[in-house]
Amino acid sequence: MNGTMEMRLQTRKELVKDYCKRRKRSDSLYGQDLRYHLVFHKTRTIYCFAPKVASTQWKTVLSALNEGNRTFHHASEIKFDHLNAYPLEEVEQMLKTYFTFLFVREPLERFVSAYKDKFLRENVVFHQAIGREIIKKFRPNATEEALATGRGVTFSEFTNYVVKTRHLDEHWRPFDKLCHPCAIQYDFIGHYEDLAEDAPYLLKTAGIDDRVSFPPFRPSRTSTELFVYFSQIPKLIILELAKIYESDYEMFGYRFPGQLNKLPSFTAHK
């Protein structure tokens, strides 16, 4: 099992390395946004969190590594050290000597997950800040109530908004722009789809499995809903959306269009 896992992890790292080399990406850390990198000094670990990739669970689990977090019960209450709080010289040194990891997810599944979480649930912040803008731009003859509350954004409206405005909130921003894998050589790249196997192996590899453990993982239903959501979206819009996540698809071994290949809009001209 360990040999299989090591081969899987090595393949993932090679994919990223190959992508950066082919695209002639020699990204530096200078000027990069490093606030998504959490630092745990006692265990010399750095985690780059991407929202909608079990990041809340990971934050809760890893919070136990910091003594000051023992009394907190939810990730939103926890205080973390962020890499962007340190001078670049210290950052570079930590990245060379600390164990670094991130988890990724099929890009369009994450996109759907973000929509469901931020627009189908009661989320006043998102409704007010983004929902109202989406409705104003993409819903002709919107009611005054919809314009005032920002509630009821459809998946089609949300998709059009992201494609047309390129507004990449952290919850659906590409991993490439969150974790900078062409500038940081990660020791461990986990996949959300393999979380049940990857999580315990990561903790063991990082040498922290004696301190923390990942709770039983309940798979998301988003992958089974992907076809339903994107059946509402024209093929050209899907292709435009996929372009936004092109680097994530190539870097992390996901295939586009994947199961969307069965959509009528994709099969019509075969």
Side-chain angles (χ1 to χ4, degrees):
M1 178 63 178
N2 283 7
T4 303
M5 284 295 296
E6 279 302 318
M7 286 178 62
R8 179 192 296 176
L9 296 173
Q10 189 58 37
T11 297
R12 291 173 184 172
K13 288 194 282 188
E14 288 297 329
L15 272 174
V16 174
K17 185 178 178 181
D18 179 63
Y19 171 86
C20 299
K21 184 178 180 180
R22 281 190 294 106
R23 295 303 181 108
K24 296 180 171 55
R25 291 270 301 271
S26 53
D27 301 13
S28 73
L29 291 172
Y30 183 77
Q32 301 281 24
D33 183 356
L34 300 175
R35 60 185 157 140
Y36 297 96
H37 295 74
L38 307 182
V39 184
F40 303 89
H41 292 293
K42 285 191 176 181
T43 54
R44 299 171 70 81
T45 306
I46 295 174
Y47 163 50
C48 181
F49 71 91
K52 310 313 303 170
V53 191
S55 59
T56 299
Q57 293 95 317
W58 274 116
K59 287 179 183 178
T60 303
V61 167
L62 296 172
S63 67
L65 299 176
N66 292 340
E67 291 296 329
N69 288 325
R70 297 290 183 180
T71 58
F72 293 106
H73 301 288
H74 191 273
S76 62
E77 301 175 291
I78 301 168
K79 295 180 180 178
F80 293 102
D81 279 340
H82 294 256
L83 199 59
N84 66 332
Y86 297 89
L88 185 59
E89 201 171 291
E90 286 186 45
V91 168
E92 291 175 337
Q93 184 60 27
M94 281 190 274
L95 288 172
K96 287 178 183 176
T97 56
Y98 284 22
F99 183 88
T100 56
F101 77 96
L102 79 158
F103 269 80
V104 296
R105 182 180 187 179
E106 202 285 331
L108 295 189
E109 284 188 26
R110 178 170 171 252
F111 184 79
V112 171
S113 180
Y115 166 73
K116 289 168 59 181
D117 185 39
K118 299 307 174 186
F119 296 102
L120 295 189
R121 294 180 181 177
E122 185 59 33
N123 192 317
V124 176
V125 173
F126 265 80
H127 294 162
Q128 292 288 311
I130 301 178
R132 291 195 299 181
E133 184 183 352
I134 293 175
I135 290 171
K136 182 179 179 181
K137 286 179 180 291
F138 297 98
R139 187 180 301 178
N141 305 316
T143 64
E144 288 187 14
E145 181 183 2
L147 289 168
T149 65
R151 290 194 184 99
V153 170
T154 67
F155 184 67
S156 178
E157 290 168 341
F158 171 60
T159 305
N160 273 304
Y161 170 75
V162 174
V163 166
K164 301 288 175 55
T165 68
R166 291 299 201 266
H167 178 173
L168 300 175
D169 178 88
E170 64 178 26
H171 295 88
W172 56 86
R173 191 177 306 160
F175 303 116
D176 189 14
K177 297 183 183 300
L178 286 170
C179 295
H180 317 298
C182 284
I184 299 172
Q185 292 186 11
Y186 287 92
D187 296 302
F188 192 105
I189 300 171
H191 279 210
Y192 178 86
E193 297 79 7
D194 299 320
L195 192 56
E197 290 183 358
D198 285 3
Y201 195 73
L202 161 70
L203 297 178
K204 183 178 179 181
T205 306
I208 54 177
D209 57 324
D210 59 333
R211 298 171 182 243
V212 295
S213 61
F214 199 85
F217 176 63
R218 184 170 57 188
S220 165
R221 288 172 36 221
T222 302
S223 61
T224 61
E225 298 171 339
L226 201 65
F227 190 89
V228 175
Y229 276 99
F230 279 101
S231 63
Q232 312 166 33
I233 311 300
K235 180 179 179 179
L236 287 177
I237 297 296
I238 297 175
L239 293 175
E240 284 297 313
L241 184 64
K243 283 182 184 177
I244 294 174
Y245 297 102
E246 185 176 17
S247 61
D248 285 355
Y249 273 106
E250 289 194 42
M251 244 189 267
F252 302 114
Y254 292 107
R255 295 187 180 277
F256 176 82
Q259 60 179 295
L260 295 187
N261 197 42
K262 298 176 184 177
L263 286 172
S265 58
F266 278 85
T267 58
H269 303 293
K270 285 185 175 181

